[in-house]
Amino acid sequence: MNIEKDHVVRLHYSVSEAGGEAIETSRDREPLAVLIGHQTIIPGLEEALLGRAAGDRFEATVAPEKAYGERREGLVQRIPRKHLKDHRLVVGATVVVPTQMGPRPVTVQKVGLSVVDVDLNHPMAGKTLVFDVEVLDVREATAEEKDHGHVHGEGGVQHGRP
Ligand code: ZN
């Protein structure tokens, strides 16, 4: 079964910056389950998955505009330190802060006594990323999954049953 829209794909991946160290991998945890065609992963990775099948292992290079976008200047925000008290506040560290658009990873830029300056650019913004992807299995999404726009069951959203 070749991957297309409305398929559910389970995969393992590692991602690194082009020519750099690995940034993140799924291989130390459960595989990622993706509903194709519903903007749940970056566009460049989704495009690279189309037409693949279970058992395929491949590398995909994704430019910033198909990943997390270009870095933007002027996205520094000052946050009261008490809002970040659970985090290790080291310059360059990634911390997740609550925003109006939901939790968002930001980069610590400057640590003051009572405030912290963070860069709101996504930590991977402006970077060309290289994904090492292994497709584990592929199935058609259920009508309910297509309706909800996400995967149910293993690796997906577990809705409580009434
Ligand atoms: Zn759902």
Side-chain angles (χ1 to χ4, degrees), residues 8-81:
V8 172
V9 179
R10 286 198 322 134
L11 57 91
H12 267 308
Y13 71 93
S14 302
V15 58
S16 54
E17 191 177 344
E21 300 275 301
I23 299 170
E24 190 187 292
T25 181
S26 68
R27 290 191 167 87
D28 52 8
R29 52 179 196 257
E30 291 296 301
L32 182 67
V34 179
L35 176 60
I36 300 293
H38 292 257
Q39 282 114 39
T40 58
I41 56 172
I42 59 167
L45 183 55
E46 189 165 281
E47 280 172 23
L49 281 166
L50 294 173
R52 305 280 180 173
D56 282 0
R57 184 159 185 173
F58 61 95
E59 210 175 80
T61 300
V62 180
E65 63 268 25
K66 291 277 175 84
Y68 294 95
E70 297 293 347
R71 289 187 62 79
R72 287 156 57 203
E73 297 303 320
L75 281 183
V76 174
Q77 192 169 311
R78 187 154 281 184
I79 297 179
R81 197 171 168 145

Side-chain angles (χ1 to χ4, degrees), residues 144-145 148-152 157 159:
E144 197 183 39
E145 285 173 322
H148 288 198
H150 55 228
V151 177
H152 290 160
V157 176
H159 291 297

